[in-house]
Amino acid sequence: MATRHDEGGSRLWRGMRSLIFGEGSEQTLRDEIEEAIDEAEEGGASRSIAGDLSPTERQMLRNLLHFGERTAGDICVTRGDMIAVPSTIGFDDLVRAFADAEHSRLPVYGESLDEVVGMIHIKDVFKVSVDLERDRSVRALMREPLFIPESMGVLDLLARMRAQRMHLAIVVDEFGGTEGLVTIEDVVEEIVGDIEDEHDIEQAGMLTMLDDGVWEADARIELDELAKAVDPRLTWEEDEVDTLGGLMFLLAGHIIPPGESVCHPSGWRLESIAADPKRIVRARLHAPEGEER
């Protein structure tokens, strides 16, 4: 008689066989593998193939199963968080921009971010910095950018980036405006999780409770996450904003400088505690008077 362990292993094997040989439907494949992983995590399939995988491997496998469901728009760095340089920038300012951004590639725009005209790689900047006879103009340093629609699936995106040997792509919306940018690291992180390098500085938590009714949050925190953790009223009915920073900008009509606040219709007071000229960085949330959360 087959044990539950054997059944778990057989289920995963059937799913993997469908993946390799095309047997069965895609939905069945995902169901078979996820069910086996679920059983392993519940302790019911410790000897199955899924049970032989570490927790990290199981999470990566889960991510891989749903990898194809994501689009470029889902994973891109949004327009508000993009770091780009104008086409009129001088070489010295360009070097400083790379130093401040700590990125290896920077988009170049014309009149606005909706007019991305190129991309500069830091390797090219370094080459001309040690050769005084080379042209240091932005036009000479620019490479042709890769433009992709926000609806492009990540599988197609990965294939295209590999084929064209591009590590950065500009994501455009249906009207041709710039939605954001995506790097090949963003794509890989969808499978393996966040990748930090030696230049990444540990940031304060996305959301921290300071006292009864007082929270501190990264302005990039999603409103859905904020509503679940703090107060379900901290939402916005229309699809105009997704983050706390975007909500505060929408309510105030401008970037709120540190020390100033804006009130949410629910009564929560949203205070800016760190900001730069382009965006709110961190905020403090104060519950409505008489409420503790």
Side-chain angles (χ1 to χ4, degrees):
M1 176 181 294
T3 66
R4 186 177 178 183
H5 297 165
D6 295 333
E7 290 174 357
S10 298
R11 184 176 295 111
L12 183 59
W13 167 242
R14 287 197 301 271
M16 295 304 295
R17 187 173 57 191
S18 299
L19 176 65
I20 297 170
F21 299 109
E23 301 174 9
S25 67
E26 182 181 4
Q27 185 59 45
T28 299
L29 164 63
R30 290 179 179 172
D31 286 346
E32 294 282 355
I33 296 177
E34 283 203 284
E35 193 172 340
I37 294 174
D38 288 340
E39 288 189 359
E41 292 180 344
E42 292 169 2
S46 59
R47 291 187 178 180
S48 70
I49 297 175
D52 290 338
L53 300 175
S54 69
T56 299
E57 290 171 325
R58 290 200 294 268
Q59 184 58 54
M60 288 175 61
L61 185 53
R62 280 190 189 278
N63 294 344
L64 186 59
L65 289 174
H66 297 282
F67 183 66
E69 300 171 3
R70 309 280 282 169
T71 66
D74 293 331
I75 70 171
C76 72
V77 174
T78 58
R79 178 193 181 105
D81 289 328
M82 281 179 60
I83 300 176
V85 296
S87 58
T88 55
I89 194 171
F91 184 78
D92 290 340
D93 288 335
L94 177 63
V95 172
R96 280 191 286 271
F98 269 104
D100 292 340
E102 296 185 346
H103 295 322
S104 59
R105 299 164 178 82
L106 289 179
V108 180
Y109 62 89
E111 294 295 325
S112 71
L113 273 180
D114 287 324
E115 187 191 351
V116 175
V117 295
M119 181 269 293
I120 296 179
H121 197 298
I122 195 169
K123 288 182 180 179
D124 297 325
V125 175
F126 179 76
K127 287 178 182 177
V128 300
S129 69
V130 296
D131 187 348
L132 300 181
E133 296 183 0
R134 296 186 61 172
D135 188 349
R136 295 188 173 193
S137 67
V138 168
R139 184 171 298 277
L141 292 169
M142 279 196 312
R143 300 186 184 192
E144 186 73 20
L146 174 62
F147 294 97
I148 59 168
E150 60 180 334
S151 59
M152 177 177 282
V154 290
L155 286 172
D156 292 335
L157 171 59
L158 180 59
R160 187 166 178 185
M161 294 179 89
R162 288 184 60 194
Q164 298 189 220
R165 301 174 66 184
M166 300 287 284
H167 285 224
L168 180 147
I170 304 300
V171 182
V172 297
D173 60 25
E174 58 183 317
F175 304 106
T178 299
E179 180 71 15
L181 65 81
V182 62
T183 67
I184 202 162
E185 181 178 305
D186 296 324
V187 179
V188 173
E189 285 183 338
E190 286 298 302
I191 300 175
V192 304
D194 289 343
I195 301 172
E196 296 185 358
D197 62 27
E198 63 273 20
H199 297 292
D200 289 332
I201 301 174
E202 186 176 352
Q203 301 291 326
M206 290 294 286
L207 182 64
T208 305
M209 186 176 183
L210 302 179
D211 200 352
D212 286 342
V214 182
W215 296 73
E216 186 173 310
D218 189 304
R220 296 172 298 176
I221 190 170
E222 298 281 338
L223 291 181
D224 289 345
E225 183 179 345
L226 197 62
K228 291 178 183 177
V230 180
D231 187 336
R233 297 176 296 177
L234 284 170
T235 58
W236 196 254
E237 294 181 358
E238 301 173 12
D239 292 333
E240 298 179 42
V241 291
D242 298 313
T243 66
L244 173 60
L247 174 62
M248 293 173 67
F249 177 84
L250 185 67
L251 291 172
H254 61 275
I255 301 297
I256 307 174
E260 294 189 12
S261 304
V262 65
C263 286
H264 186 267
S266 64
W268 279 85
R269 180 166 63 89
L270 312 179
E271 178 190 2
S272 171
I273 59 173
D276 59 36
K278 295 183 178 179
R279 63 190 178 102
I280 300 168
V281 178
R282 290 191 70 78
R284 191 162 292 154
L285 291 73
H286 303 267
E289 290 189 16
E291 295 186 20
E292 295 182 355
R293 295 184 179 273

